[in-house]
Amino acid sequence: MNRQNMNTLIRDEYAFFLRERNNWSLTVGPQDLELVAHALRVLLHARTTPDFLDDYRTLVACQNENGGWSPLSSDTESTVWVSAFCGLMLIRGNRLLRHAQLTQSVQQAIDYFLDTQHQDGRWVDPAWADLDTTSHPVSFFNVVMALGETRRQQEVRHAWQQGMCFIIDNQSPDGGWYDDEFHPYGVEITAHLIQDALVAALVLDQQVSGVREACAKGAARLCDWQAQAGSWDEENIDHTMDCTRSLMLVTHILQDSHKRETVVRGLSWILDNKNDRGWGDFPGMETNLERTCDGIDTPLKYQAYSNSGTHEVVKLWGYLP
């Protein structure tokens, strides 16, 4: 797909996303916060965040007393995965909004993750594998460090290092990560861990042993898992988007241009298997908004990835200011 057609696709899908605002915006009532976080990421990467301050303020309003968030905005029991996603969107959005209420919320989120880390470096969420769960607070701390947030700075750095080491120590010899209960095939978890947690260390210039090697092995494993047509995990659209985006970021930072064909094949498959508006979880399934948010985000990131001489794609993860 040429750049003009890609721009048209993004514009049309973004317009559809806005028409569905009542189904993702906290300004109209309680929502699934994972979907809200996905939506805020679309706004961020579409560069329209300043027009949606109230969406960020309502996300702050449903933050729990301990600094975390619940999967459903009407609940009060915090869980790690969604809390990290919400915290990420707030700290990144606040670079543009510069709002005191958001600043305080981010600081409370930092406290929450420092308070909930286990002694061996992991974080735990009942709905996710421990390795996958751990990748999200590490990703949040990646951005906290990249943006120069000073709250409990030394504690953040130590917690970040502990989380990184927990992930690296649990990589399999074949380059993948696995969890018997949540991710027996390793595809999604491997894509998450190398992009959301590990590879940022190479941008932040932090000394964590084995990061480059772990990322290279993980990226190679993802390439091995790709089907000839371009998908991953038996035509799972969500996992194919995860893998495609992961390889964009990781191979850019590793300066590994040989995997560009794998990225292009993944993106082509994603675009070939969209619905008239939006994406479903598998080809032929009805559109859902979370997958559509991923579907808008993936070509936006690909456009940045195509500018291989710049670090624009790294900025779309928040690992550079």
Side-chain angles (χ1 to χ4, degrees), residues 276-318:
D276 288 341
R277 284 290 173 262
W279 284 260
D281 289 328
F282 288 88
M285 291 184 65
E286 66 179 349
T287 293
N288 70 67
L289 282 175
E290 186 175 313
R291 205 79 309 107
T292 298
C293 289
D294 284 331
I296 297 170
D297 188 56
T298 302
L300 280 168
K301 283 177 172 167
Y302 180 76
Q303 288 185 323
Y305 168 77
S306 297
N307 296 325
S308 56
T310 73
H311 285 308
E312 291 304 310
V313 70
V314 182
K315 293 180 181 179
L316 292 181
W317 270 263

Side-chain angles (χ1 to χ4, degrees), residues 33 42 53 121 128 132 139 159 168 203 206 220 231 251 257-259 272 278 281 286 310:
L33 286 190
V42 169
L53 173 60
W128 297 89
D132 217 356
S139 182
I168 292 172
V203 181
Q206 297 294 317
S231 70
T251 60
S257 60
H258 296 93
K259 295 181 174 60
D272 287 344
D281 289 328
E286 66 179 349
T310 73

Side-chain angles (χ1 to χ4, degrees), residues 24-94:
W24 56 258
S25 176
L26 287 167
T27 63
V28 300
Q31 304 282 4
D32 178 325
L33 286 190
E34 185 162 359
L35 173 57
V36 171
H38 275 77
L40 294 180
R41 186 173 63 187
V42 169
L43 299 177
L44 191 65
H45 296 167
R47 301 183 179 183
T48 54
T49 292
D51 299 331
F52 292 88
L53 173 60
D54 285 348
D55 284 271
Y56 286 84
R57 295 181 66 183
T58 52
L59 180 59
V60 171
C62 63
Q63 187 175 23
N64 296 327
E65 289 185 7
N66 65 357
W69 285 265
S70 310
L72 295 176
S73 58
S74 55
D75 291 345
T76 57
E77 184 175 348
S78 300
T79 60
V80 169
W81 176 279
V82 76
S83 295
F85 208 161
C86 291
L88 270 169
M89 293 305 102
L90 284 175
I91 190 171
R92 294 186 63 198
N94 202 35

Side-chain angles (χ1 to χ4, degrees), residues 110-152:
I110 290 171
D111 292 342
Y112 169 76
F113 291 114
L114 291 176
D115 292 344
T116 54
Q117 187 179 32
H118 288 227
Q119 192 169 10
D120 64 357
R122 80 180 74 196
W123 281 267
V124 173
D125 186 315
W128 297 89
D130 290 354
L131 279 162
D132 217 356
T133 298
T134 299
S135 74
H136 264 45
V138 171
S139 182
F140 174 66
F141 283 153
N142 286 337
V143 178
V144 167
M145 294 165 61
L147 298 184
E149 169 61 53
T150 59
R151 184 173 183 84
R152 301 175 70 178

